[in-house]
Each structure stands twice: as C-alpha cells, then as structure tokens.
Amino acid sequence: MERTLVLIKPDGVERNLIGEIIKRFEENGLKVANLRMVIPSREFVQAHYAVHKDKPFFNVLVDYLAEKRVVAIVLEGEDAVSRVRKIVGATDPSKAEKGTIRGDLGNDSKEKADAERRSIYNLVHASGTREEAEEEIKLWFEESEILE
Ligand code: AMP
C-alpha cells in the first residue's frame, strides 16, 4: 500500500471546494488516512517547497500558501502517488485535461499568473514521488497521527 500527501491550497478552501476535491479521490478508491486544516507559517511553506527554492517563482509560491488555510490530507492506496497526480492534472489549469481536478475546477493560467506576478492558483498540491510523499507526510503530520 502506498501513501501520498495532498494539500488543498488556499484557493480551493476559499472557493468551498474541499468536499468536491476529496470526493474525487474517494470515488477513485483512494482512502483518506488522515486530514487536518493548517495555517502554515512562511518558514513551514519554505520547508515544504524546499525542492523549488532556486526557482524564480519560489517567493510567490510561498506567498500563495503561507498564513492561509490549507487542508493537508494523507491518501492511501495502490500506486497512490501516480494515481493522485493523474486525478489532479497538469500544473497549469488552462492546460489540464478535462476530467482532472485542475482541468474541471481550475480557473487560472500561467499567463494570468505571470502577468500578475504571482503563483499559479491550481487548487491542490500532490507529492511527486514516493520519497517526497514520505518526507512531506512527516512534515505535515506527527508520527503518532499516522496509522501504519
Ligand atoms: P507543485 O509541487 O506541483 O505544487 O509545484 C509547485 C507549485 O508552484 C505549483 O503547483 C504552482 O502552484 C506553482 N508554480 C509552478 N510553476 C510555476 C510558474 N512557472 N509560475 C508560477 N507558479 C508556478
């Protein structure tokens, strides 16, 4: 059984899409193993996105999530990491396929984000690899909260 971390980002929380987003994972047979709402500090978001620290969009990415409501979810299932990425869709919602969360519910694009000098608002984060998933789960949840 594999686990992955999903974040419902501040635009997903603000737009009342928490239920709709979780429903899509549950309907695909993924199990919610844990879930919490958090208001992360800037330092915490910087730690979460450490892999992007040299990217030009790092600071605006931290602005997007820091000090706002975020829902952190551990999802469990066979091939959870890649299945969740498929359900989420491409980074740029205007390019994401229909049937994916970002393709169906996203309302932003890289062009708009660049013009407004901010991060792409794309509703969710999903771990990229199994290793990243384990690290991210450890960052967002206490060891005692994770059921083996
Ligand atoms: P991810 O690890 O998939 O959450 O990727 C980091 C996040 O950074 C993406 O989900 C977007 O919200 C944002 N992002 C990625 N690429 C860009 C970009 N070129 N410009 C602005 N924001 C970006």
Side-chain angles (χ1 to χ4, degrees), residues 9 49 52 57 61 64 91 102 110 119-120 122 125:
K9 295 177 176 177
Y49 276 129
H52 294 312
F57 57 84
L61 177 57
Y64 174 22
T91 301
R102 289 169 175 163
K110 181 166 161 27
S119 189
I120 303 171
N122 56 7
H125 162 80

Side-chain angles (χ1 to χ4, degrees), residues 3-9 18 21-22 25 30-32 34-36 38 48-49 65 70-76 80-81 83-88 101-102 122-128 132-133 136-137 140-141:
R3 299 184 306 186
T4 191
L5 182 92
V6 163
L7 301 178
I8 303 181
K9 295 177 176 177
I18 296 172
I21 290 169
I22 293 174
F25 296 121
L30 290 146
K31 186 121 208 112
V32 174
N34 212 335
L35 173 153
R36 66 203 291 238
V38 195
H48 170 76
Y49 276 129
L65 272 81
V70 170
V71 177
I73 307 164
V74 179
L75 290 173
E76 202 170 74
V81 173
R83 273 169 66 208
V84 165
R85 295 279 286 202
K86 233 178 241 156
I87 296 165
V88 165
I101 290 172
R102 289 169 175 163
N122 56 7
L123 302 168
V124 282
H125 162 80
S127 309
E132 281 173 21
E136 291 175 4
I137 290 168
W140 288 86
F141 290 88

